[in-house]
Amino acid sequence: MKVHSALRHMPSILRKRRPIQLTFFVTRKCNARCPWCFYLNSRDPSADGELLSLPEIREISGSLGRLLWVAFSGGEVFLRGDLAEIGAIFHDRNRPRIMLFPTNGLLPEATVEQTERILRRCPGSVIVVKVSLDGLNGDHDELRRSPGAFEKALETYRSLGRLRSRYTNLELGINTVFLSENQDRMDEIIDFVAGLDIRGTHTISMIRGNLAEERYKSVDVGKYRRATDRLERNLKDGVASIHSFAGSRLKAAQDILQRQLIHQTLLADRRLVPCYAGNLNLVLTETGEIHPCEVLGSSLGNVRAHGYDVGRLLKSDRARDILGPIADGACHCTHECNFIMNILFNPGLYPALFKEYLGLGRVRPDAAAAPAASAGTASCPSTAKTDSAGR
Ligand code: SF4
């Protein structure tokens, strides 16, 4: 089966009238205890509500139309035993080009088993699994408050890697949350990931959201810039990898531009480009709340109260009242998932995007298959939920 085309979404470049990127928080449960997780720390009053069931998810998905991208989030998504069935619902009804599954990697066997079910059931989507890695060895365990987390994350990553010979639509990645406690260890983390024997991309997500301990957000913007420069250099030198699906070179260019814009946004402390949250992007929680994005605490309403019809919910007065100020530039943030749409669907940024695309020179997805440096392969020197995705 051919992977669903992204070109069907080109009209959204001009008309941003319906969501094409959905982040679905499938569970609030997690087996790690990261003190800097915004989701587990959020005070959402609906958090104790009943989980959306499969029939309810089917109805919601049916109201959404074609999607470009579905990112699952939590909590730990692989704790939800029906994750493959949920993925299949979106695959069949919304035909997303990409489905993203971030994981802390603490459940190697369950993650591989569920990923294989998803791959078998969803051949029309690129399935991206991103394992979180925020430090090396004990640093990672400590950050995640989970002894043995580092070794388990690597075991999960390598076991997933073995699936790739059988499933060409599987893409792997590592995501690192950039926070005060690891900002001085970025070089070693980046080099370690670049040297892994299993090919995959490496992304860095800036810490975000309301945290129980705000100190984790005391980051040095200059250090963020140095870390993202290193990622870019590794990519251009052929040390780091890009995805292998069609269009991945454009995605790599968008990643580079995105990190530049995030750096500039942090320095300027204001929004620098339009945000399409609520128009092109939506967030659905495990109890049915719809948010324009992960950062604003505002719920546009619960789909259960709108007959599971997202379109109808978006036409409500409440939704209009919340979405108006967003379009007017009332807020700003650094959330990578929103930057994806804010870049790819903003023609005003195409010259900058094209420049980064050309700057990738001879970087080719195939070249990424070769393990680069030997640093940090099996003999390592000794994972967000801050993030849907790892994105
Ligand atoms: S700028 Fe950030 S906080 Fe504001 S709506 Fe967009 S994603 Fe949400």
Side-chain angles (χ1 to χ4, degrees):
M1 182 178 192
K2 258 179 82 175
V3 171
H4 304 138
S5 168
L7 298 178
R8 298 167 304 163
H9 297 285
M10 285 183 77
S12 294
I13 293 170
L14 297 176
R15 293 193 311 274
K16 297 170 178 63
R17 293 203 192 122
R18 65 170 203 87
I20 57 172
Q21 183 197 44
L22 178 75
T23 300
F24 181 13
F25 284 78
V26 291
T27 180
R28 196 170 280 264
K29 280 191 198 155
C30 196
N31 45 358
R33 280 288 164 265
C34 316
W36 29 270
C37 173
F38 76 85
Y39 203 59
L40 295 184
N41 287 320
S42 71
R43 312 267 188 282
D44 185 344
S46 75
D48 297 329
E50 207 173 313
L51 270 191
L52 289 171
S53 64
L54 288 179
E56 288 180 305
I57 294 168
R58 206 169 281 122
E59 293 244 16
I60 296 166
S61 144
S63 80
L64 279 167
R66 297 285 160 89
L67 295 172
L68 171 63
W69 173 302
V70 180
F72 296 94
S73 191
E76 167 54 41
V77 299
F78 287 99
L79 281 176
R80 193 148 171 172
D82 55 2
L83 189 63
E85 286 73 24
I86 295 174
I89 289 172
F90 285 97
H91 173 267
D92 294 352
R93 296 183 166 226
N94 310 102
R95 303 171 68 81
R97 166 89 174 162
I98 293 174
M99 291 205 281
L100 171 66
F101 298 85
T103 176
N104 58 31
L106 288 176
L107 299 168
E109 277 180 32
T111 302
V112 172
E113 188 264 327
Q114 289 232 60
T115 301
E116 188 159 15
R117 283 172 56 208
I118 293 166
L119 288 163
R120 268 202 303 263
R121 185 60 185 74
C122 306
S125 297
V126 176
I127 304 299
V128 182
V129 183
K130 278 201 183 183
V131 180
S132 296
L133 206 68
D134 306 318
L136 303 186
N137 306 303
D139 290 350
H140 178 74
D141 298 0
E142 172 63 26
L143 278 169
R144 299 248 153 196
R145 303 285 190 271
S146 306
F150 178 77
E151 290 302 335
K152 282 191 183 138
L154 285 185
E155 183 187 340
T156 299
Y157 185 72
R158 292 200 170 103
S159 303
L160 288 168
R162 287 192 276 278
L163 291 178
R164 283 207 300 213
S165 58
R166 280 180 285 141
Y167 300 97
T168 53
N169 60 330
L170 173 62
E171 299 278 351
L172 289 181
I174 299 270
N175 187 65
T176 300
V177 181
F178 189 93
L179 56 145
S180 58
E181 306 294 299
N182 68 4
Q183 60 182 341
D184 292 316
R185 316 300 291 265
M186 280 293 143
D187 287 359
E188 61 190 70
I189 297 170
I190 290 169
D191 289 349
F192 175 79
V193 173
L196 284 169
D197 46 358
I198 301 286
R199 182 190 70 172
T201 58
H202 189 195
T203 46
I204 291 179
S205 299
M206 177 57 73
I207 188 160
R208 66 177 180 277
N210 295 319
L211 310 182
E213 292 185 55
E214 288 289 307
R215 69 187 171 94
Y216 289 101
K217 288 186 352 197
S218 301
V219 296
D220 181 326
V221 178
K223 289 177 182 171
Y224 173 77
R225 181 62 198 247
R226 278 196 290 284
T228 57
D229 281 352
R230 194 178 187 93
L231 278 184
E232 184 178 331
R233 226 175 19 252
N234 280 354
L235 194 63
K236 290 177 176 168
D237 290 349
V239 176
S241 306
I242 67 174
H243 287 306
S244 55
F245 57 81
S248 58
R249 200 152 170 256
L250 181 64
K251 179 74 183 72
Q254 170 255 303
D255 277 342
I256 293 171
L257 180 58
Q258 169 181 300
R259 293 191 286 256
Q260 292 167 5
L261 287 170
I262 288 173
H263 178 242
Q264 290 163 16
T265 302
L266 287 166
L267 289 177
D269 199 22
R270 65 183 174 85
R271 194 197 295 176
L272 301 177
V273 295
C275 178
Y276 305 136
N279 291 308
L280 292 184
N281 321 60
L282 280 183
V283 172
L284 169 67
T285 73
E286 69 282 359
T287 55
E289 297 294 323
I290 295 277
H291 295 256
C293 70
E294 294 179 17
V295 182
L296 294 178
S298 342
S299 169
L300 305 178
N302 194 299
V303 275
R304 284 174 166 144
H306 293 266
Y308 302 98
D309 185 336
V310 175
R312 197 204 298 176
L313 183 152
L314 290 175
K315 289 193 187 108
S316 69
D317 291 344
R318 179 172 165 181
R320 268 199 280 262
D321 288 348
I322 292 172
L323 296 181
I326 294 176
D328 295 340
C331 51
H332 71 280
C333 72
T334 60
H335 188 195
E336 290 80 4
C337 285
N338 288 82
F339 267 97
I340 294 172
M341 293 292 147
N342 296 349
I343 291 171
L344 292 179
F345 289 85
N346 180 348
L349 290 175
Y350 288 177
L353 185 62
F354 190 54
K355 178 170 165 273
E356 297 307 332
Y357 184 89
L358 291 180
L360 285 171
R362 290 185 302 164
V363 171
R364 291 283 183 276
D366 286 347
S374 59
T377 52
S379 55
C380 55
S382 78
T383 286
K385 185 80 234 171
T386 63
D387 182 12
S388 62
R391 300 163 268 191

